């Protein structure tokens, strides 16, 4: 495992423990941890509920902020946690703009990943695949292909 990812996971585990929450890893970080494709996370994405995200922000000593987003994604609480090699991007009640409008993205299945001597909760491969398909971004085509191959 890359030292940057290892140190970031350890940092996340410390904040999560202080906050009393169990974050769910999401995005490219999960692909990297599972060895799917040749992806390297540039940040570590985490999904939580609103109150859990606020607790993480408080434990890290940062303002939890308000709803934020862009034309593709929005979250009721969106926190960027610095202090680790990779920024930790905490999203609460994330929605994706789909062709039919905004869709609340809810995980159907959570899996466990063991890393840096700890257990982390993570989005299932099926949930990641569904996210990348809903997001509809050209940059995610390789991730969808890698997930399809891993799930075959």
């Amino acid at each position: 495992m890359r030292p940057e990812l290892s140190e970031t996971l350890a940092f996340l585990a410390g904040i999560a423990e202080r906050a009393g929450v169990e974050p769910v890893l999401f995005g490219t970080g999960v692909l990297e941890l599972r060895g799917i494709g040749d992806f390297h996370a540039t940040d570590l994405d985490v999904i939580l509920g609103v109150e859990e995200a606020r607790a993480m922000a408080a434990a890290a000593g940062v303002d939890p902020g308000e709803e934020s987003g862009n034309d593709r994604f929005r979250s009721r609480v969106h926190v960027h946690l610095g202090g680790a090699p990779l920024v930790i991007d905490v999203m609460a009640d994330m929605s994706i703009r789909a062709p039919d409008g905004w869709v609340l993205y809810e995980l159907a299945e959570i899996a466990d990943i063991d890393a840096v001597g700890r257990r982390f909760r993570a989005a299932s491969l099926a949930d990641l695949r569904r996210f990348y398909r809903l997001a509809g971004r050209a940059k995610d085509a390789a991730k969808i292909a890698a997930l399809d191959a891993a799930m075959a």
Side-chain angles (χ1 to χ4, degrees):
M1 178 183 313
R2 290 184 301 136
E4 299 88 358
L5 183 56
S6 176
E7 291 172 35
T8 302
L9 286 168
F11 183 83
L12 172 65
I15 293 173
E17 187 174 314
R18 286 193 305 275
V21 301
E22 288 190 81
V24 178
L25 303 177
F26 186 74
T28 307
V30 174
L31 298 178
E32 183 175 350
L33 286 167
R34 296 233 184 257
I36 296 172
D38 189 24
F39 302 102
H40 292 286
T42 57
D43 63 6
L44 189 61
D45 296 323
V46 172
I47 295 178
L48 287 169
V50 170
E51 293 310 313
E52 294 170 313
R54 289 183 176 139
M56 284 274 295
V62 299
D63 180 0
E66 298 298 323
E67 184 171 327
S68 68
N70 56 37
D71 64 334
R72 302 296 283 151
F73 308 102
R74 65 181 180 199
S75 296
R76 285 191 46 210
V77 176
H78 194 184
V79 181
H80 292 283
L81 299 177
L86 303 177
V87 170
I88 300 169
D89 199 13
V90 180
M91 295 161 279
D93 288 355
M94 179 177 66
S95 295
I96 303 168
R97 175 168 249 147
D100 296 333
W102 289 100
V103 176
L104 178 64
Y105 185 72
E106 297 179 283
L107 297 174
E109 182 181 353
I110 296 173
D112 289 337
I113 294 178
D114 291 319
V116 298
R118 295 176 171 90
R119 180 190 60 83
F120 291 90
R121 297 181 333 146
S124 70
L125 299 184
D127 279 323
L128 285 176
R129 184 173 174 260
R130 183 169 49 90
F131 167 78
Y132 290 128
R133 288 192 183 280
L134 276 172
R137 302 175 299 185
K139 73 178 193 173
D140 294 329
K143 293 174 186 175
I144 293 168
L147 282 163
D148 286 348
M151 294 170 67

